[in-house]
Amino acid sequence: MDTIASLFSFITWPVSWVIVQFHKVYGAIFGPDTGWAWGLSIVSLVILIRICLIPLFVKQIKATRAMQTLQPEMKKIQERYKNDRQRQSEEMMKLYKESGTNPLSSCLPILAQSPFFFALYHVLAAIASGKKIGVIDAGLLESARNAHIFGAPLAAKFFSSDSQVSALNASLTDVRVVTAIMIVLMSASQFYTQRQLMTKNVDTTVKTPFMQQQKMLMYVFPIMFAVLGVNFPVGVLIYWLTTNVWTMGQQMYVIHNNPTPGSKAQAAYLERLTKHVTQHGKIRRRSEKAIVKAIVAKGRDRNEFERKFVNALNKAGLAAQTDGTVTKSVAQAAEQTEEGAVAGTTTATATVPRRQQPKRQSKSQRQSGTKAGDSPSLEKSDAPQDAKPAAAKQPQKPGSGTRSKAQSGQRKGGPQRPKSPSKK
């Protein structure tokens, strides 16, 4: 580790200068020789570095999602050219070039942070051995050696000897208890960060080798940190624990506000967005507009959660637009216009008298030709009554008994025509 740290000795001067500047600020508050002053200086160094690495973190998120999207195509290439490694590599590079992705982009934050990590390790190792380094002179060196975090010196390690710990005015038990707790917290934070990524922010609709690799790293990284952590000074453990906590919080923010499409986090996010949009009828945040715009642009390629989101907006009478905004749908606007027109004509129709429908006539009234409510006259009623016996006395022709009622002038169903007197 000392050999690797010496390779980054060129950056030890800026790292030591930053620590000293923060130490001046915290030393005025907690005292220059306290562990809080030096410990918070290291924490502030981590925060400053991570703020500078935010653009690389954004590139890492985009690269990771692009790699997840390309996993099906990569699997097809591997199966097609499984016997030709060279052609497989060429097709992979061609796919990366066409999609504009770079596999190394997902490692940029770790690679960019590594020089600062090893430079800090080099500074703390020099403090432990009593050597001046960077801008840390003899006075600051003595102050840093006397600084303790819960009884453990900043330069002490888990496997430090009793004589080395005694030279730093501390006990070996305190050093091992503090370092063991920090190692456990460091490994646990790393495991939780990776597990959160796998369980919430991974596209569950596509099963790819990339997911298996991430699942393996979820267990490998904590074990690696636990093994290497016993060789880290307390100051380096503070640095790495702080950067793990920062990564965990940063990832929680990204998962909550910009989840991976097809993941469980996206389902929860779209559910919250649906409630907000249906209540207020609009989208306010720029990030929300960008997500809705991407969903609309997908068209038929939307996943299950995105289709549910669009359908929920349609049921609420809203429609997502190509610019990411939400407006009332055409059907909803037409319905509101129709309701307004009906409401405006209600008072006018209430004053107009309704047209009275004629009363339905009975069968005898239709046969007699009288109106409903009128008393039939004797002359009109006598004619049909006299005609019935005359028609009955008329002799029937052979075969006339087989005739249907329709042939004798009667209708099958519906109102029947009045019988006319037959001629003798």
Side-chain angles (χ1 to χ4, degrees):
M1 183 66 70
D2 294 335
T3 304
I4 298 175
S6 61
L7 297 176
F8 297 92
S9 59
F10 64 93
I11 203 173
T12 54
W13 192 93
V15 169
S16 62
W17 183 84
V18 172
I19 292 177
V20 169
Q21 301 308 312
F22 281 121
H23 176 261
K24 290 180 181 179
V25 176
Y26 295 117
I29 300 174
F30 301 101
D33 298 334
T34 59
W36 289 106
W38 286 100
L40 290 176
S41 299
I42 297 174
V43 172
S44 300
L45 172 67
V46 175
I47 295 174
L48 179 63
I49 293 173
R50 295 308 301 265
I51 290 175
C52 296
L53 293 179
I54 287 178
L56 294 180
F57 180 75
V58 174
K59 289 184 178 180
Q60 179 189 21
I61 294 175
K62 293 181 178 179
T64 303
R65 292 185 179 178
M67 291 296 294
Q68 291 177 352
T69 305
L70 294 178
Q71 286 301 312
E73 299 295 331
M74 294 171 61
K75 190 174 182 180
K76 291 179 181 178
I77 293 175
Q78 291 174 354
E79 293 177 354
R80 185 180 302 173
Y81 304 104
K82 59 183 178 180
N83 298 326
D84 190 351
R85 295 291 182 181
Q86 183 177 359
R87 183 64 183 278
Q88 185 181 121
S89 302
E90 293 176 356
E91 292 295 328
M92 287 288 188
M93 295 303 296
K94 183 179 178 181
L95 180 62
Y96 293 149
K97 186 176 181 180
E98 291 176 352
S99 60
T101 58
N102 187 358
L104 297 178
S105 298
S106 58
C107 304
L108 284 177
I110 297 177
L111 295 176
Q113 190 177 339
S114 298
F116 300 97
F117 168 77
F118 288 112
L120 178 63
Y121 182 90
H122 194 53
V123 170
L124 294 175
I127 292 174
S129 59
K131 298 179 182 178
K132 294 185 292 184
I133 185 170
V135 298
I136 299 178
D137 53 13
L140 291 173
L141 179 62
E142 186 66 21
S143 176
R145 287 175 61 86
N146 293 327
H148 294 68
I149 300 293
F150 300 109
L154 293 177
K157 304 177 185 178
F158 183 85
F159 285 139
S160 295
S161 63
D162 193 8
S163 59
Q164 292 175 340
V165 174
S166 299
L168 298 173
N169 301 321
S171 66
L172 185 61
T173 303
D174 293 339
V175 170
R176 291 188 174 178
V177 169
V178 172
T179 52
I181 293 175
M182 286 188 175
I183 291 171
V184 170
L185 293 176
M186 183 176 63
S187 301
S189 60
Q190 180 66 35
F191 176 79
Y192 180 79
T193 301
Q194 193 68 21
R195 185 177 183 275
Q196 186 183 37
L197 178 66
M198 288 297 302
T199 57
K200 294 184 178 181
N201 205 38
V202 173
D203 188 358
T204 57
T205 60
V206 180
K207 303 296 182 180
T208 60
F210 179 78
M211 296 177 61
Q212 298 297 328
Q213 294 173 4
Q214 293 295 320
K215 188 175 181 179
M216 182 181 63
L217 293 177
M218 181 173 64
Y219 298 98
V220 171
F221 275 144
I223 295 175
M224 184 179 65
F225 277 108
V227 173
L228 297 177
V230 295
N231 296 315
F232 291 162
V234 174
V236 174
L237 293 178
I238 294 174
Y239 176 93
W240 208 249
L241 178 60
T242 305
T243 192
N244 282 356
V245 173
W246 177 280
T247 303
M248 182 173 61
Q250 195 174 42
Q251 184 171 277
M252 290 176 63
Y253 176 82
V254 172
I255 292 175
H256 187 270
N257 295 281
N258 192 13
T260 301
S263 62
K264 294 181 180 179
Q266 189 195 31
Y269 176 84
L270 292 179
E271 185 177 355
R272 295 192 306 268
L273 185 60
T274 302
K275 293 180 180 179
H276 173 76
V277 173
T278 52
Q279 289 178 358
H280 300 86
K282 60 181 179 180
I283 296 178
R284 298 178 181 178
R285 297 181 182 179
R286 186 178 300 176
S287 59
E288 294 175 350
K289 290 183 179 179
I291 292 177
V292 175
K293 182 179 179 180
I295 292 175
V296 174
K298 286 184 178 180
R300 296 182 178 180
D301 296 332
R302 301 186 187 106
N303 56 46
E304 179 184 358
F305 309 128
E306 293 167 347
R307 287 194 295 269
K308 287 183 179 179
F309 171 72
V310 175
N311 293 334
L313 292 183
N314 294 335
K315 290 180 180 179
L318 301 172
Q321 306 299 316
T322 55
D323 59 350
T325 59
V326 174
T327 59
K328 292 182 179 180
S329 61
V330 178
Q332 181 73 8
E335 183 178 353
Q336 291 181 352
T337 305
E338 183 178 354
E339 290 178 357
V342 171
T345 57
T346 301
T347 55
T349 56
T351 56
V352 177
R354 297 180 64 182
R355 183 179 179 183
Q356 296 183 354
Q357 298 292 335
K359 294 183 179 180
R360 188 174 181 179
Q361 296 178 348
S362 62
K363 182 177 179 181
S364 59
Q365 289 174 345
R366 289 195 299 271
Q367 291 177 355
S368 61
T370 59
K371 294 182 179 180
D374 296 341
S375 58
S377 59
L378 296 176
E379 293 81 6
K380 293 181 179 179
S381 61
D382 291 342
Q385 292 176 358
D386 295 338
K388 288 180 180 179
K393 295 178 181 179
Q394 188 176 6
Q396 295 182 355
K397 295 181 180 181
S400 61
T402 60
R403 293 183 180 180
S404 63
K405 295 181 180 181
Q407 291 176 345
S408 61
Q410 294 184 356
R411 297 183 179 180
K412 292 183 179 180
Q416 298 181 359
R417 295 178 182 176
K419 295 181 180 180
S420 58
S422 57
K423 297 181 181 180
K424 296 182 180 180

